[in-house]
Amino acid sequence: MQSYWFGDVDNERCSPFDGDVNSYVDRIRSISASMDAFIPLDWKQSVLCGACRDRADYIARLQAVCIAAAERSIREQYSGKDAELLQMVRTLDEVDTVINLLSERLADWYITRHPMFSRKYRRTPAHVLVKTVREKSKGALGRVAGEIEHLSDTRTALAKEVTARANDVMPNTSALIGGLVAARLLSHAGGLLELSRLPASAIQVIGARTALFAHVKTKSPPPKHGIIFQHRRVHNAPKEVRGKVARVLAGKLAIAARLDYFRGVAVPEFLNPAQERIDAAGKERES
Amino acid sequence: MIWIGDVLVSQGEGGVYKERMLGGARVWDAYRSKLSALYHVGTGVELTPGMRVLYLGAANGTTVSHVADYVEVVYAVEFAPRPMQDLLEVARRRKNIVPIMADAARPEYYAPLVETVDLLYQDVAQPDQAAIALRNCAFLKTGGYLILMLKTRSVDVRKEPAEVFQDTLDSLTAAGLIVQESVWLAPYHHDHAAIVCTKPSG
């Protein structure tokens, strides 16, 4: 027997499927064909079946069902809790880029108004400089500085939301590496399912693409870490064991991502020994 | 194919992607569409009003909309949700596009929806492009055409494009297809090649 969208065909006998568009969608999502014993669909059978009147009716009905099915699939893909987190963390990273770009430009502009100004030998953080510029400058320059400050506030609020959402969506990964870096891993992988399918070795070098390809092409040393370097466990580790910490951490992250995807709740039996193991790696000396 | 001077066009409702109109017809830009580029640099396959087409890697429905202007029906397969939203918008306004949200590498899931077609067109960014095309040849009628838009950089970024091109030609020939035409799409698209095959009887 062959199941097609409009009905089941067995030799010459055909039983049409009956129902509204939604039940047709349920049907086409549940049936599949074996490609080995595949008998291609013949639209005329749908007319013999009584499912459709003619060719135009056949195409119109099939199109309506397929559009409804695609709409439902899209809705499902976006309903995953990770879909919004992905957009949030990408927005956050882009806001950062914009703030940096505007601050640099602002400093250049300010310097033309104050030719004796230099940032050398002063420990003026960027946000303090922006504040000074806002207070001391008239017109558009001051207003741009104000906008940068405003955007920085938004950035702070967004970062908090990203962390909170990551703790909720990926509790195990976030517990090991912090919500923000966990969300960035998610963003690079493209989703929680995709992250859970990555091997530890790939997680270790996510975000170090240039170095990785340089290694592949020119046999330069392989990258030890990608964005997991942003976590204090990696960048605070003594240099000689940093690669080791990154490797152990990535191994535990790969497990954590799978727990997050398949269970969705924090698993203390895994987390406690994993934390200990990662901390231990930072204290060992490579022998 | 309809040419106005040396401009390729298609007859249909305009405004799909802000395309230019020329004498009431939609201009089909070779820099945007690989299929259009094929008609500019090579021969391709003449699209006729009775044709049924299976289109793998439909993306935003830009090229699909032009193909649909020429043929009877296009079964447009796309996997990613974001471009699918655009494709749906195009399909809602054209009676002969059937959008299918599925993975082109797994035809068993959309086999109950697709009939035998005259033309199989494939433009997917996957490493196993030849294997995907061969799997979908089950839908192609005897004497039908396969147009494979080979993205050599998706197969293997480290290999020379020419090498990937030759490997793909070999695996298509080994599977019993007859290669009719194979051209690079430069200057319109870099590192992309078009391969036109026919499916012989038996």
Side-chain angles (χ1 to χ4, degrees):
Chain A
M1 187 191 75
Q2 297 275 326
S3 291
Y4 303 119
W5 67 274
F6 57 82
D8 300 325
V9 178
D10 201 356
N11 291 326
E12 294 301 298
R13 304 232 339 259
C14 168
S15 37
F17 179 78
D18 193 30
D20 61 358
V21 172
N22 265 322
S23 45
Y24 268 101
V25 173
D26 293 335
R27 174 180 169 80
I28 65 169
R29 287 162 65 109
S30 64
I31 55 176
S32 68
S34 155
M35 294 308 281
D36 307 322
F38 175 61
I39 304 170
L41 184 159
D42 180 5
W43 72 275
K44 290 194 185 98
Q45 279 175 324
S46 75
V47 178
L48 294 176
C49 237
C52 301
R53 285 194 308 278
D54 51 23
R55 178 77 182 161
D57 187 41
Y58 173 85
I59 296 292
R61 296 177 73 128
L62 176 59
Q63 193 201 35
V65 172
C66 285
I67 288 179
E71 284 170 345
R72 197 194 286 179
S73 302
I74 292 172
R75 222 176 298 130
E76 282 172 4
Q77 294 231 359
Y78 288 159
S79 69
K81 284 194 287 183
D82 58 334
E84 199 183 348
L85 176 57
L86 198 90
Q87 296 300 332
M88 286 163 73
V89 69
R90 285 181 186 170
T91 306
L92 178 72
D93 288 343
E94 255 147 47
V95 168
D96 274 341
T97 312
V98 170
I99 290 174
N100 288 338
L101 274 175
L102 279 180
S103 305
E104 290 278 316
R105 171 64 55 213
L106 192 81
D108 282 358
W109 187 355
Y110 185 70
I111 286 168
T112 61
R113 285 196 184 178
H114 302 85
M116 303 309 285
F117 177 84
S118 164
R119 287 178 75 185
K120 281 280 169 283
Y121 300 107
R122 302 187 191 198
R123 290 206 197 108
T124 320
H127 68 271
V128 176
L129 179 69
V130 171
K131 185 160 174 277
T132 319
V133 174
R134 176 173 58 79
E135 287 164 352
K136 288 194 179 164
S137 306
K138 284 188 184 137
L141 178 56
R143 294 183 61 158
V144 172
E147 289 300 328
I148 297 173
E149 285 186 317
H150 195 181
L151 202 54
S152 301
D153 294 343
T154 308
R155 191 243 173 241
T156 311
L158 180 57
K160 271 189 194 140
E161 279 183 42
V162 168
T163 310
R165 178 69 68 104
N167 287 335
D168 177 39
V169 176
M170 36 200 319
N172 293 294
T173 317
S174 300
L176 291 182
I177 199 170
L180 211 54
V181 185
R184 291 207 174 101
L185 287 175
L186 180 87
S187 159
H188 278 263
L192 192 50
L193 168 66
E194 287 77 5
L195 182 63
S196 73
R197 281 181 178 166
L198 286 184
S201 52
I203 292 179
Q204 189 182 343
V205 294
I206 281 182
R209 194 186 294 168
T210 318
L212 186 63
F213 278 102
H215 165 63
V216 170
K217 280 203 166 135
T218 67
K219 299 209 167 75
S220 61
K224 292 189 288 295
H225 34 56
I227 54 179
I228 61 172
F229 179 77
Q230 292 171 7
H231 192 62
R232 58 176 168 74
R233 282 188 150 140
V234 181
H235 70 237
N236 284 357
K239 206 161 184 191
E240 63 272 24
V241 292
R242 206 176 277 163
K244 184 174 198 141
V245 175
R247 194 171 65 236
V248 173
L249 177 60
K252 296 300 178 190
L253 283 172
I255 301 170
R258 284 160 217 188
L259 287 170
D260 286 336
Y261 180 74
F262 290 104
R263 292 201 204 169
V265 290
V267 183
E269 310 85 287
F270 160 73
L271 283 175
N272 297 335
Q275 302 275 30
E276 277 172 30
R277 175 74 189 87
I278 299 163
D279 288 337
K283 297 190 182 87
E284 288 168 27
R285 288 283 180 272
E286 300 255 26
S287 51
Chain B
M1 308 308 297
I2 308 169
W3 295 83
I4 300 178
D6 54 2
V7 181
L8 182 64
V9 298
S10 71
Q11 295 285 351
E13 187 201 15
V16 177
Y17 59 103
K18 302 193 192 100
E19 65 274 28
R20 218 154 46 81
M21 302 296 285
L22 192 66
R26 305 170 60 220
V27 173
W28 191 355
D29 185 4
Y31 286 98
R32 290 200 60 155
S33 167
K34 270 161 247 135
L35 185 53
S36 175
L38 171 61
Y39 290 116
H40 280 83
V41 299
T43 320
V45 175
E46 187 74 15
L47 301 174
T48 56
M51 264 188 171
R52 294 165 191 177
V53 180
L54 175 58
Y55 192 124
L56 307 175
N60 300 63
T62 308
T63 303
V64 173
S65 70
H66 285 290
V67 175
D69 287 345
Y70 278 100
V71 303
E72 196 227 1
V73 63
V74 183
Y75 295 92
V77 178
E78 173 57 48
F79 189 50
R82 185 66 200 85
M84 193 68 191
Q85 281 173 295
D86 290 336
L87 178 62
L88 285 180
E89 200 50 43
V90 178
R92 285 188 197 102
R93 297 179 68 122
R94 278 168 207 261
K95 284 186 177 150
N96 61 344
I97 296 176
V98 178
I100 297 171
M101 191 160 164
D103 184 351
R106 294 164 170 259
E108 57 272 23
Y109 290 103
Y110 53 86
L113 305 168
V114 179
E115 58 190 329
T116 308
V117 295
D118 306 286
L119 170 64
L120 172 62
Y121 178 84
Q122 179 179 312
D123 183 2
V124 298
Q126 294 290 329
D128 51 346
Q129 289 171 56
I132 292 174
L134 292 174
R135 234 172 283 160
N136 280 281
C137 275
F139 298 110
L140 194 58
K141 74 164 192 194
T142 303
Y145 294 95
L146 160 71
I147 301 181
L148 175 64
M149 291 301 171
L150 184 68
K151 295 170 182 284
T152 58
R153 291 297 181 189
S154 299
V155 174
D156 190 340
V157 279
R158 295 168 60 198
K159 262 194 193 159
E160 276 301 307
E163 199 182 327
V164 174
F165 189 34
Q166 192 55 50
D167 289 352
T168 310
L169 285 174
D170 291 346
S171 52
L172 293 175
T173 315
L177 294 171
I178 297 165
V179 177
Q180 209 169 53
E181 183 184 12
S182 58
V183 286
W184 289 99
L185 295 179
Y188 302 105
H189 301 269
H190 290 285
D191 295 339
H192 283 73
I195 301 172
V196 182
C197 302
T198 52
K199 185 179 180 177
S201 53

